[in-house]
Amino acid sequence: MNSPSRSDPSPDTPDGHAARDLFQLSPDLIHLNHGSYGAVPKIVAAEQDRWRAHIEKNSTGFFKDELPNELRRLAGVAAQRFGGAAKDWVFVENATSAVNSVLASFGLRDGDEIVTTSHAYVAVIKAMRIWAQRFGARVVVADVPMIVESEDRIVAAIEKAFSPRTRLLVVDHITSATAIVFPVAKIVKAAKAGGIAVLVDGAHAPGHLPLDVEAIGADWYTGNAHKWLFAPKGCGLLWTAPARQAQTRPVVLSHGAPDGYTQAFDWIGTRDVTPWLCFESAARFHDSLGGESLMARNRTLAADASERLAHELGMLATAPARMRGAMACLTLRASPAAVANVAAFAAAIRNCCSAIVPVYRFEDALCIRISAQIYNAMEDYERLAAGVRAALQNAAQHGVQQ
Ligand SMILES: Cc1ncc(COP(=O)(O)O)c(C=O)c1O
């Protein structure tokens, strides 16, 4: 079977709180963190259940005869949506796994430098450091200011970190902590001018903004479908430029590893492949909510909400709205004691308004990152603002200043 029977949601899908019922979200919480782990719609969860049941009817037949073709078909679906050809795309568990695979198979040598930025995902920086150390290479972190006003400022900071030893640049498309859309095509162009290979970490990009990997022009592009494209957790993708496929292998090597790029990734042992099998139905769900217009809607809501929070609480966004997508990172002026006590501040916000929202320290600032998804409405951010205001009043004795 190509896919278990599907029933897509109707095109007149509800918006805002009326759309919550399409998801499995707890009604007791204000969900403002779509960016971290996504939210699986009921219809996609049901599809995953159907796949699980289907596999268990004859797992031998499924893994031997059905899965290889289905994965390649789905790679074609990824290519149609995000550019490139089916043979360039492989499924991975997540962006972390893809980044590690590229780092492991890049061929780092003694004395090489990998450049990344101060806005990169911390787990990815940790992985880069470990892989670099194994090969005698080192990681150079380009210092991009926490608050940026222009794309050129980002490009310039990255270029400044390049040296004759730089062989690889690992750069985020949408940064996690600061929620900025980096100008990846311009960054890739600058790196290529110096003969530097580029891996774009687009963990947040699929379903968040329009994506054309070939137009970006990197060597590798990884993204998660389990964040903004509504796939079940464990649905990541890696695109590899044709010239890099011969060298690119997963960290875990198995039957297909000697045979080629797609063979190596398509089979790395027995595992739960159902998140990948739901990729197409998740993408169709995204389409049914409007596809590009959904992305634009979320972006507008995030911009309006961010403006409201900035205005009401004296917070400062890390970048202007034109450099952001469906998330915004708002920073709060705070004393060192308050920054050190970020966990208490986060708990206070949670207690005051039941909002699920990341509250963290970035550099010397207290940050709150909001996400905007179809199930959110302005009222959610108003409740967050009230919760933050109450938490600030409670935390006054800890030295948080407005
Ligand atoms: C920029 C970036 N890279 C990598 C990751 C890791 O994603 P995953 O946990 O799905 O591997 C994240 C997660 O939020 C991220 O924001």
Side-chain angles (χ1 to χ4, degrees), residues 158-208:
I158 293 172
E159 279 180 314
K160 202 172 152 205
F162 290 156
S163 85
R165 290 178 175 272
T166 311
R167 287 191 59 220
L168 177 65
L169 168 69
V170 180
V171 66
D172 294 18
H173 194 167
I174 304 174
T175 63
S176 174
T178 49
I180 301 171
V181 178
F182 271 21
V184 279
K186 286 187 195 169
I187 294 169
V188 169
K189 203 170 162 207
K192 292 284 164 189
I196 298 162
V198 187
L199 161 61
V200 177
D201 175 357
H204 281 274
H208 189 146

Side-chain angles (χ1 to χ4, degrees), residues 94-96 121 124 172 174 176 201 203-204 224 226-227:
N94 47 47
T96 307
Y121 192 62
V124 167
D172 294 18
I174 304 174
S176 174
D201 175 357
H204 281 274
N224 283 325
H226 57 225
K227 288 183 185 283

